[in-house]
């Protein structure tokens, strides 16, 4: 059956690429909330068109109050899922082609969202379409879930989990290969000074941020472990409300708690106010669990590459959605693409992704 599935993906590949290009042409940067469009009209348009595409492929579709939607195949008391997102980060400057043109050049598609994350999640839809076209009978329902607020706060997934139970297994195609069995924790920390402390606050910024390593050693939080590596401090923002403040994120390994991180920062900068703005704990699966082992197998089967599971410094829906891991779409060596100008993905890689995802959904749900 694996050979038939892979051949079917090849058969539908042009239809898949055409569908992806149609969706990446939509400007789905989050904007002001409107009636029936909690994340703005562009995001709503992307969700509507994606669900219409899924309906045209013969899937049952569900729109959960325009927060999030999904296409489903099969019926059971539980379900397997692939979850990605249709919202994208702002385009900014530096593009050689219009950022929402779906421009194709030498076998590569350039567009905001082609990698992060419209291309991969729609390739999951067509991966499931391949299974449906082969009339494969699965033991578990499969859902392809289309999020709308991954880049700005996960309000879409929070809403979904308030209405629906989580999957028993699944993945998010919003990271890298091979399968990611562990994802660092992510905390957002804010340090605030007073108006009469400006010189001392500027010294803090110079000494603790501008002129130091990003491993948190100045705050005494330079933790590391063998699996996750060194803690990283990044995404600095200088803010001025009534009082000056600096906000940053801490990407931390699984061997330390966020409470320890905050306590150590407070001790290091005791003259300032320190608050935890937000936090997602680390995610870690056993390397020999069924989910991870299945995705190792499908990746190796399709690519012939080493599928040894890895960890990541990134943050995905796996932070909030139970029982899922990050899995693709970027192959080893492909870095720094998603949030930059000229975001790209090759057609060949999109098809390879669809083959990996088709076998993965098949083996997880059969």
């Amino acid at each position: 059956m694996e050979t038939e599935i892979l051949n079917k993906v090849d058969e539908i590949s042009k239809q898949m690429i055409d569908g992806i290009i149609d969706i990446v042409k939509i400007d789905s940067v989050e904007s002001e909330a409107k009636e029936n469009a909690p994340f703005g009209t562009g995001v709503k348009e992307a969700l509507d068109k994606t669900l219409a595409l899924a309906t045209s492929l013969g899937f049952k579709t569900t729109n959960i109050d325009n927060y999030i939607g999904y296409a489903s195949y099969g019926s059971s008391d539980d379900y397997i899922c692939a979850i990605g997102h249709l919202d994208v980060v702002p385009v900014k400057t530096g593009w050689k082609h219009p950022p929402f043109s779906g421009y194709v050049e030498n076998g590569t598609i350039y567009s905001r969202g082609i990698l992060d994350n419209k291309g991969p999640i729609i390739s999951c839809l067509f991966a499931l379409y391949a299974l449906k076209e082969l009339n494969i009978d699965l033991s578990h329902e499969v859902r392809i879930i289309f999020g709308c607020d991954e880049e700005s706060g996960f309000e879409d997934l929070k809403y979904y989990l308030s209405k629906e139970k989580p999957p028993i297994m699944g993945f998010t195609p919003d990271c890298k290969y091979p399968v990611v069995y562990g994802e660092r924790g992510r905390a957002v920390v804010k340090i605030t000074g007073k108006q009469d402390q400006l010189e001392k606050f500027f010294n803090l910024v110079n000494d603790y941020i501008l002129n130091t390593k990003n491993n948190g050693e100045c705050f005494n939080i330079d933790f590391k472990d063998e699996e996750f590596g060194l803690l990283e401090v990044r995404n600095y923002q200088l803010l001025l409300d009534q009082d000056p403040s600096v906000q940053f994120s801490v990407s931390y390994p699984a061997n330390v708690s966020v409470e320890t991180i905050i306590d150590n920062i407070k001790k290091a900068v005791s003259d300032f106010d320190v608050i935890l703005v937000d936090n997602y704990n680390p995610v870690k699966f056993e390397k020999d669990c069924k989910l991870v082992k299945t995705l190792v197998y499908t990746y190796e089967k399709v690519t012939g590459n080493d599928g040894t599971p890895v960890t990541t410094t990134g943050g995905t829906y796996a932070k909030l959605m139970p029982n899922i891991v990050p899995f693709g779409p970027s192959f080893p060596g492909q870095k720094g693409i998603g949030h930059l100008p000229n975001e790209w993905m090759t057609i060949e890689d999109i098809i390879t992704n669809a083959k990996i995802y088709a076998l993965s959904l098949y083996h997880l749900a059969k």
Side-chain angles (χ1 to χ4, degrees):
M1 182 53 71
E2 288 182 337
T3 301
E4 288 90 335
I5 292 171
L6 298 179
N7 288 341
K8 180 57 71 173
V9 172
D10 281 327
E11 287 179 25
I12 64 174
S13 61
K14 184 183 185 305
Q15 186 180 4
M16 173 175 66
I17 297 302
D18 289 344
I20 289 171
I21 289 174
D22 283 344
I23 302 301
V24 297
K25 287 181 177 179
I26 301 168
D27 179 349
S28 56
V29 176
E30 184 172 339
S31 58
E32 181 184 357
K34 303 285 188 182
E35 185 177 1
N36 298 318
F39 308 114
T41 54
V43 178
K44 183 181 186 303
E45 181 185 359
L47 179 61
D48 287 344
K49 287 199 173 183
T50 300
L51 294 178
L53 173 62
T55 299
S56 74
L57 298 175
F59 291 110
K60 176 184 175 183
T61 61
T62 302
N63 183 337
I64 306 179
D65 300 329
N66 295 301
Y67 275 77
I68 197 167
Y70 63 88
S72 59
Y73 174 61
S75 178
S76 63
D77 292 334
D78 50 32
Y79 68 96
I80 304 294
C81 85
I83 176 172
H85 62 94
L86 302 173
D87 61 311
V88 297
V89 297
V91 295
K92 299 185 179 178
T93 59
W95 288 79
K96 63 180 182 180
H97 304 295
F100 295 105
S101 64
Y103 187 87
V104 181
E105 182 177 63
N106 297 325
T108 298
I109 303 172
Y110 295 90
S111 212
R112 176 59 87 224
I114 187 62
L115 179 78
D116 185 17
N117 186 235
K118 295 175 180 177
I121 192 56
I122 294 171
S123 73
C124 289
L125 176 66
F126 278 89
L128 186 59
Y129 180 58
L131 304 186
K132 186 178 80 69
E133 287 298 281
L134 291 169
N135 295 311
I136 296 175
D137 186 24
L138 301 175
S139 298
H140 302 280
E141 176 188 343
V142 179
R143 294 183 185 180
I144 310 299
I145 304 175
F146 308 104
C148 295
D149 186 45
E150 195 274 346
E151 300 290 4
S152 305
F154 291 8
E155 293 303 320
D156 55 343
L157 185 50
K158 293 173 186 175
Y159 195 81
Y160 178 90
L161 291 172
S162 75
K163 304 287 186 179
E164 303 274 348
K165 63 184 180 182
I168 57 170
M169 283 187 293
F171 57 86
T172 178
D174 193 20
C175 193
K176 63 182 180 181
Y177 290 117
V179 57
V180 176
Y181 76 95
E183 195 172 278
R184 290 189 192 189
R186 178 174 291 184
V188 178
V189 181
K190 186 176 183 180
I191 300 174
T192 304
K194 302 295 183 183
Q195 285 290 345
D196 59 2
Q197 291 181 296
L198 282 180
E199 183 176 357
K200 186 178 288 187
F201 178 78
F202 289 142
N203 287 336
L204 165 78
V205 173
N206 288 327
D207 296 341
Y208 285 74
I209 294 172
L210 297 180
N211 299 304
T212 190
K213 296 178 182 178
N214 72 337
N215 65 355
E217 64 180 10
C218 58
F219 295 116
N220 194 27
I221 58 171
D222 50 335
F223 299 99
K224 64 180 179 179
D225 69 18
E226 288 187 7
E227 294 178 287
F228 288 85
L230 284 166
L231 176 148
E232 293 181 13
V233 181
R234 55 196 184 196
N235 300 329
Y236 297 105
Q237 288 182 293
L238 286 173
L239 307 169
L240 184 60
D241 298 321
Q242 280 190 325
D243 296 311
S245 62
V246 60
Q247 185 169 294
F248 51 85
S249 61
V250 181
S251 173
Y252 61 94
N255 66 343
V256 62
S257 70
V258 70
E259 290 80 14
T260 297
I261 290 170
I262 295 300
D263 286 345
N264 285 17
I265 295 175
K266 286 181 176 179
K267 291 174 184 176
V269 293
S270 57
D271 291 337
F272 301 92
D273 292 328
V274 178
I275 63 169
L276 177 65
V277 177
D278 199 7
N279 177 64
Y280 291 99
N281 288 325
V283 177
K284 186 176 177 183
F285 287 74
E286 296 300 322
K287 294 181 186 179
D288 62 352
C289 72
K290 179 181 178 181
L291 174 58
V292 172
K293 287 177 66 175
T294 298
L295 302 184
V296 167
Y297 169 78
T298 59
Y299 175 76
E300 292 183 338
K301 174 71 177 180
V302 173
T303 67
N305 297 332
D306 179 14
T308 300
V310 296
T311 63
T312 184
T313 61
T316 70
Y317 279 136
K319 284 281 194 293
L320 188 63
M321 178 71 100
N323 308 322
I324 70 167
V325 293
F327 188 45
S330 296
F331 292 97
Q334 297 177 340
K335 296 182 179 180
I337 301 170
H339 287 191
L340 296 182
N342 306 311
E343 182 179 339
W344 59 271
M345 197 170 185
T346 69
I347 290 173
E348 180 181 3
D349 281 353
I350 292 172
I351 295 171
T352 301
N353 269 273
K355 290 179 177 180
I356 295 169
Y357 295 146
L359 289 189
S360 299
L361 294 172
Y362 168 67
H363 283 292
L364 291 176
K366 69 178 183 180

